[in-house]
């Protein structure tokens, strides 16, 4: 069973067990939250796609809970963005690889890198986080 960890209007956080339905449940949670925030028409499809890819990667390689966190960021430079983080207990960072046309997988990080304003990975106390940022204007 998945659980909402926190929501406060500008951020939302969930934890999903490493089970086959985690990707589907994460997609619905992200889309519903973006709809509530009025952002679904702006970044809904791309956010759901990228979250699906990253949760799938976590599900494939990690055995513990998968965390998803979203936050609206209003920096001083006037360029609002959506920060999305996907965490799992595996400390090894994901490996970006060049998928060939015949490969069935391996495009998740390529999609993130090609779509996001910025993205990266960081180690945590109990695993890693892959994050990306999408522009909400311009």
């Amino acid at each position: 069973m998945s659980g909402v960890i926190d929501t406060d209007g500008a951020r939302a956080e969930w934890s999903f067990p490493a089970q086959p339905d985690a990707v589907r449940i994460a997609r619905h949670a992200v889309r519903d939250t973006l709809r509530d925030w009025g952002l679904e028409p702006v970044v809904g499809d791309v956010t759901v796609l990228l979250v699906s890819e990253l949760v799938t990667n976590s599900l494939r390689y990690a055995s513990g809970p998968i965390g998803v966190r979203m936050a609206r960021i209003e920096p001083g430079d006037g360029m609002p963005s959506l920060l999305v983080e996907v965490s799992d207990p595996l400390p090894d960072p994901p490996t970006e690889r060049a998928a060939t046309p015949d490969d069935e997988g391996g495009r998740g990080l390529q999609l993130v890198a090609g779509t996001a304003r910025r993205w990266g990975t960081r180690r945590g106390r109990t695993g890693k986080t892959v994050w990306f940022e999408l522009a909400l204007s311009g």
Side-chain angles (χ1 to χ4, degrees), residues 13-126:
E13 186 172 355
W14 306 269
S15 178
F16 305 100
Q19 296 176 350
D21 63 349
V23 177
R24 178 183 54 80
I25 296 169
R27 278 195 306 258
H28 287 290
V30 165
R31 187 166 304 277
D32 290 348
T33 300
L34 291 173
R35 188 175 299 118
D36 290 346
W37 290 351
L39 297 177
E40 206 274 334
V42 179
V43 292
D45 290 339
V46 69
T47 304
V48 169
L49 172 65
L50 298 181
V51 167
S52 293
E53 292 292 332
L54 294 178
V55 171
T56 298
N57 283 349
S58 291
L59 189 59
R60 178 174 289 158
Y61 299 109
S63 60
I66 300 165
V68 176
R69 180 179 179 271
M70 294 194 313
R72 291 182 292 179
I73 300 171
E74 302 284 340
D77 64 7
M79 298 183 67
S81 61
L82 178 70
L83 174 66
V84 180
E85 301 174 330
V86 177
S87 303
D88 64 52
L90 188 66
D92 304 325
T95 303
E96 189 176 2
R97 63 184 180 108
T100 67
D102 294 333
D103 289 340
E104 291 186 20
R107 291 179 182 79
L109 289 178
Q110 288 178 336
L111 285 170
V112 171
T115 306
R117 173 192 285 171
R118 299 182 314 145
W119 77 280
T121 63
R122 69 174 180 274
R123 283 184 176 231
R125 289 176 289 159
T126 60

